[in-house]
Amino acid sequence: MLYIGPHVSIAKDISLAPERAHELGATGFAIFTKNQRVWSASPLSEESISSFRNTIMRYGYTPRSILPHAGYLINPASPDKDLWEKSLGLFLDEAARTVSLSLDTINIHPGAYKEGSKEEGIKRSAAMMDEVLARTPGLRIAIENTAGAGTILGSSFEELDALLSAAKEKDRIGFTLDTAHLFGSGYDVASDPDGVLDAFASRFGSGKLYGMHLNDSKVPLGSRKDRHESIGKGLIGKDAFLAIVKRPDVQDIPLVLETIDESLWKDEVSLLLSAGSDS
Ligand SMILES: [Zn+2]
Ligand SMILES: [Zn+2]
């Protein structure tokens, strides 16, 4: 089954998110587990948690159709000890929220190493993944690939592999591939989406693709920039997305739209769902 839907707002209360996705015809969705712009937030209330769990059941969502996105303040590769510890604290909090909502996977950017060697940055990032997994039973981490600006890690399959290799909890770490980030980092998902995803599968084997972010791109192939566009309106183009949703390895994982025009989400969802269903 295809689990497709946008990253929806948790404004007012997180338990309103599933309904927002359902109204768009989505079969899956993404959320932040708290306001992603602040370091701390009050805990989720018992009422919000039980309402969220009930609503996802009511609309037929399963934990594997929902992919929470960790906040952008977290930098797992930070060379600054205090910032690394602060990031760990926030990541642990978001991991606990994810599990309390009965979800089992959280999406995270591997971080920027800022200074020193890339190898040390990879070690710090992997160490944080291990720490969070050790302290959060039942959780899996999906490391998101990046466009790779500056010292941001995770812009190649080699670097994703290095992050996985540096971690101890390898069975509970997989990846989210974001099409706009793939394109920005030089993987031509526009002209050869199957080739790119086959290369990922042959390196990592089956079961390591925990989710995808389906975004078109405003910026050219290999630009190292991250600028999302609506499906079919950017430089990747509609056909690539229609090909991706027909692949067996994208079944039963969340396929999240982080596209820029909310008014198009309903049409994007229905386009991709219908393309996938006639394969
Ligand atoms: Zn992301
Ligand atoms: Zn993304």
Side-chain angles (χ1 to χ4, degrees):
M1 164 143 189
L2 279 173
Y3 298 141
I4 298 180
H7 184 127
V8 290
S9 166
I10 57 163
K12 299 232 163 50
D13 196 273
I14 200 162
S15 65
L16 300 173
E19 176 133 29
R20 290 178 179 135
H22 174 76
E23 280 167 1
L24 298 164
T27 51
F29 62 93
I31 47 170
F32 290 117
T33 66
K34 57 177 272 301
N35 179 344
Q36 86 281 14
R37 292 183 191 87
V38 297
W39 282 99
S40 66
S42 46
L44 293 171
S45 68
E46 282 306 317
E47 200 184 344
S48 291
I49 291 169
S50 69
S51 171
F52 183 91
R53 288 177 178 162
N54 290 337
T55 318
I56 66 172
M57 275 199 286
R58 185 179 328 136
Y59 294 124
Y61 295 114
T62 63
R64 286 292 159 91
S65 64
I66 304 166
L67 185 58
H69 194 305
Y72 296 118
L73 293 171
I74 300 169
N75 181 4
S78 179
D80 178 316
K81 189 95 182 76
D82 290 343
L83 268 178
W84 189 90
E85 290 289 345
K86 215 173 161 190
S87 290
L88 174 61
L90 183 50
F91 194 5
L92 282 168
D93 176 56
E94 298 198 20
R97 286 167 187 264
T98 298
V99 170
S100 76
L101 294 168
S102 299
L103 306 179
D104 64 9
T105 308
I106 188 164
N107 181 92
I108 181 95
H109 295 192
Y113 63 93
K114 306 277 189 189
E115 59 190 36
S117 76
K118 182 187 280 186
E119 289 65 33
E120 289 301 315
I122 287 171
K123 277 188 204 159
R124 289 190 295 269
S125 184
M128 188 174 296
M129 308 298 162
D130 279 338
E131 188 74 26
V132 169
L133 289 169
R135 290 161 68 174
T136 319
L139 186 78
R140 308 188 308 170
I141 291 175
I143 299 176
E144 182 174 356
N145 74 304
T146 62
T151 64
I152 293 173
L153 297 170
S155 62
S156 67
F157 295 162
E158 291 74 17
E159 260 176 50
L160 295 178
D161 208 346
L163 285 157
L164 182 65
S165 302
K168 295 188 192 84
E169 301 271 0
K170 293 180 176 54
D171 293 346
R172 295 161 67 198
I173 297 174
F175 302 101
T176 302
L177 291 179
D178 182 311
T179 52
H181 301 174
L182 282 169
F183 196 64
S185 66
Y187 291 94
D188 194 354
V189 282
S191 52
D192 190 14
D194 285 315
V196 173
L197 292 180
D198 288 347
F200 175 87
S202 67
R203 178 179 276 266
F204 294 104
S206 65
K208 281 298 186 196
L209 188 61
Y210 285 2
M212 283 193 77
H213 290 167
L214 301 181
N215 302 307
D216 212 326
S217 177
K218 275 185 195 292
V219 285
L221 178 67
S223 61
R224 316 289 288 179
K225 290 194 184 119
D226 176 10
R227 301 277 306 282
H228 297 183
E229 179 55 285
S230 299
I231 301 294
K233 298 198 167 209
L235 296 168
I236 296 176
K238 192 168 87 173
D239 290 348
F241 297 98
L242 300 186
I244 289 170
V245 295
K246 292 184 169 71
R247 292 178 61 88
D249 53 359
V250 306
Q251 302 296 314
D252 306 319
I253 60 171
L255 305 175
V256 179
L257 295 160
E258 301 173 316
T259 46
I260 58 173
D261 186 348
E262 286 187 33
S263 71
L264 299 176
W265 282 351
K266 198 168 186 169
D267 292 340
E268 290 174 328
V269 166
S270 101
L271 171 79
L272 296 172
L273 279 177
S274 59
S277 67
D278 56 44
S279 61

